[in-house]
Amino acid sequence: MNATATLWWDKDTGSLRYIDQTLLPVKYAVVECRSIERLARAIKRLEIRGAPALGVAGAYGVALAAQVSTKKNLKTFLSDVHRDAEILRLTRPTAINLGWGIDRVLGKIAYADDISSARTIALEEAETIAREDTACCHAIGEYGADLLPEICTVLTHCNAGSLACSSWGTALGVIRSAIDNGKEINVYACETRPLLQGARLTAWELARDGIEVTVITDSTAAYLMRKNIVDAVLVGADRITRDVVFNKIGTYMHAVCARYHKIPFYVAAPLSTFDTEKREQDVIIEERGREEVTKIGNLCIVPDAARVKNYAFDATPMDLVTAIVTERGVLHPPVDIDSILSLKSIK
Ligand code: MRU
């Protein structure tokens, strides 16, 4: 099955290349990014998006910062790289992977002997993170596939697919692996207001791979569950703390409905998405601009006088989660700190 890369380093031009996700499904365009300012804008605008892809982007971002610094002295070079890393870190606050990818590369170059080796080490580490992400998605796919019945209708929200990762995907990786293992999977993709990652991106990449997908408005999900059409809800995550799963706004609503209708609610995420230090109240939920809600294209759909609340993510309490699928295995409730740490410590 074909699931092409979302972002990669182009050695010939020394630039970061990525698919501009704001243009899909109308246009497939690859951007050549050569500056931190451009990368920061790309992340803020969701040209690159999805927690694991943000981790990879953060890692490549540090490699890019190392490449573009003109400093000749190691100490001032490292301070340039750290300044740029902080610019990237602040672009989006909720997905933990962004900071995780940045810190992994910063940690590797901290003890470099000279600027040239720091540049090499940074790029090697970013490439490793990108490769590991794909490997994690395939492992998540295999573990998750076992949870789904032979014939299964899955409801998913937002895009937790190859576009949200290095490739393959977490929630959509489970679907891809299940199909590769001979299961018959039918997908309902919630459109995911306001930026339509489900309608635009999930539907695009599943259709590209020949996987049956039906797009629904977000508010159709509960009724499909009531009609016994959905066998499982399967989503990704932006950050998993001890007590909640942060994911795209609307996820909590699906989890509540799934519990009411006795449908399993699965989360698929790599261990890099876990944040065992924090609890729900410690995490900043990104709030985005009003125009994402008030406009469809150039058409204004909300009166100027109305206020708008545009949370990008919500939090689903652990007791609504049936299982979390990671690259090291499946966590079943109670999902507590010890079970998470025990998976993390498996070599
Ligand atoms: O705002 P986005 O598009 O970056 O939000 C993405 C999501 O919420 C995804 O579900 C999550 O990052 C998991 S991606 C494997």
Side-chain angles (χ1 to χ4, degrees):
M1 183 169 296
N2 171 34
T4 50
T6 300
L7 67 170
W8 62 96
W9 188 262
D10 181 2
K11 286 208 167 76
D12 294 337
T13 57
S15 62
L16 174 62
R17 299 223 173 186
Y18 62 86
I19 301 170
D20 182 346
Q21 300 189 35
T22 62
L23 302 177
L24 289 170
V26 177
K27 189 173 168 197
Y28 176 95
V30 171
V31 175
E32 192 178 305
C33 176
R34 291 168 176 276
S35 75
I36 294 302
E37 293 67 31
R38 180 68 188 91
L39 181 56
R41 191 155 65 89
I43 294 173
K44 277 190 194 144
R45 294 188 67 240
L46 274 57
E47 292 171 38
I48 304 170
R49 48 144 300 279
L54 290 174
V56 177
Y60 277 130
V62 178
L64 182 63
Q67 184 175 274
V68 297
S69 169
T70 52
K71 295 289 178 343
K72 301 276 183 265
N73 165 286
L74 182 60
K75 200 164 162 227
T76 49
F77 163 86
L78 285 176
S79 96
D80 262 14
V81 173
H82 275 264
R83 182 206 55 214
D84 286 350
E86 292 322 299
I87 292 173
L88 294 176
R89 193 192 302 277
L90 293 176
T91 50
R92 297 197 75 192
T94 309
I96 189 176
N97 306 59
L98 176 61
W100 170 86
I102 289 171
D103 288 335
R104 238 181 92 167
V105 180
L106 287 179
K108 280 280 173 181
I109 63 170
Y111 304 103
D113 293 330
D114 53 50
I115 293 175
S116 164
S117 56
R119 288 193 173 120
T120 307
I121 291 167
L123 188 53
E124 279 174 5
E125 185 65 3
E127 298 275 35
T128 302
I129 289 173
R131 273 196 307 275
E132 281 178 9
D133 183 59
T134 297
C136 281
C137 286
H138 281 273
I140 288 169
E142 289 302 319
Y143 282 117
D146 288 346
L147 297 173
L148 302 180
E150 292 301 315
I151 300 175
C152 181
T153 296
V154 173
L155 182 125
T156 190
H157 191 71
C158 194
N159 171 264
S162 71
L163 288 167
C165 304
S166 206
S167 66
W168 201 249
T170 55
L172 300 192
V174 170
I175 289 164
R176 289 191 166 94
S177 297
I179 291 171
D180 278 357
N181 295 347
K183 295 191 174 179
E184 207 177 294
I185 313 288
N186 180 25
V187 182
Y188 278 94
C190 294
E191 60 173 353
T192 317
R193 277 278 292 155
L195 294 181
L196 306 177
Q197 290 94 329
R200 295 187 303 105
L201 308 177
T202 294
W204 179 81
E205 64 167 271
L206 291 182
R208 176 194 63 185
D209 290 350
I211 298 171
E212 213 170 301
V213 57
T214 305
V215 175
I216 54 169
T217 58
D218 299 328
S219 40
T220 301
Y223 188 55
L224 287 188
M225 293 189 212
R226 179 167 170 76
K227 281 164 67 85
N228 279 326
I229 289 173
V230 177
D231 299 308
V233 179
L234 178 54
V235 295
D238 289 89
R239 188 186 292 247
I240 301 174
T241 57
R242 298 163 186 223
D243 50 346
V244 297
V245 172
F246 290 94
N247 193 47
K248 180 53 57 191
I249 190 78
T251 302
Y252 173 49
M253 172 175 83
H254 299 316
V256 171
C257 285
R259 172 56 54 92
Y260 181 79
H261 292 96
K262 301 187 173 52
I263 295 167
F265 179 86
Y266 298 124
V267 176
L271 289 170
S272 54
T273 302
F274 285 73
D275 183 356
T276 46
E277 314 268 291
K278 297 217 172 87
R279 303 190 74 86
E280 178 178 2
Q281 70 268 17
D282 307 320
V283 176
I284 299 169
I285 295 265
E286 178 183 356
E287 292 194 48
R288 297 185 59 87
R290 106 178 231 117
E291 63 291 346
E292 289 182 355
V293 176
T294 60
K295 283 184 159 181
I296 293 181
N298 288 328
L299 182 69
C300 193
I301 57 163
V302 177
D304 287 346
R307 281 198 288 267
V308 162
K309 200 79 182 152
N310 185 14
Y311 290 118
F313 302 98
D314 63 24
T316 298
M318 258 334 150
D319 60 2
L320 294 179
V321 176
T322 310
I324 303 180
V325 187
T326 78
E327 70 274 28
R328 299 267 177 91
V330 178
L331 285 170
H332 289 285
V335 178
D336 57 19
I337 185 76
D338 292 333
S339 52
I340 295 167
L341 289 176
S342 71
L343 273 192
K344 277 196 168 188
S345 64
I346 296 171
K347 289 280 172 229

